[in-house]
Amino acid sequence: MGAGRARPGLLEAGDDEQVVSMARASLIYVSKDGIVAQNGGAPVDPVMLGEALWHAAKVTQDPILQTAADTMLDWVLHRAPRAADGTIYHTGETIWSDSFHTTPPFLAYTGH
């Protein structure tokens, strides 16, 4: 297990083919903000895909996946709804524990 938490299983297993397939499949759901894997859930839900999406973009050098990964990172860093202390809301107005197992690992994986 990476960094003391469960990383996305396919990524942890080194199954790049399936990671890329999952990342490409996520492109069917895109929010009005351009966030992939957003299908009406909470703001941080798509970030569960973040590490795999970032990895797939790097492995394939696919500009569509790279744009999706960059957009997700920009959204997390600058546009996601957050509390006054900067903590990203889970539901748009409240903070739940889900926010802590999605966003920080994605940020760490991308070097932030």
Side-chain angles (χ1 to χ4, degrees):
M1 295 294 178
R5 66 168 209 89
R7 288 179 58 202
L10 297 172
L11 187 59
E12 186 72 23
D15 192 341
D16 285 354
E17 183 178 335
Q18 290 299 315
V19 169
V20 170
S21 179
M22 178 178 61
R24 286 196 170 123
S26 74
L27 298 173
I28 65 170
Y29 296 110
V30 181
S31 73
K32 64 181 177 177
D33 294 328
I35 309 304
V36 301
Q38 179 58 279
N39 191 20
V44 297
D45 285 353
V47 185
M48 286 184 245
L49 173 72
E51 291 171 74
L53 178 62
W54 193 264
H55 182 78
K58 297 302 177 199
V59 167
T60 63
Q61 298 294 299
D62 181 332
I64 294 170
L65 289 175
Q66 189 62 58
T67 297
D70 289 342
T71 300
M72 182 177 285
L73 180 60
D74 177 68
W75 183 82
V76 167
L77 290 173
H78 306 290
R79 298 182 288 131
R82 49 186 27 96
D85 69 357
T87 305
I88 295 176
Y89 287 131
H90 177 79
T91 65
E93 296 178 0
T94 61
I95 299 168
W96 290 0
S97 62
D98 291 20
S99 301
F100 304 114
H101 82 82
T102 59
T103 306
F106 175 58
L107 291 173
Y109 196 79
T110 61
H112 291 277

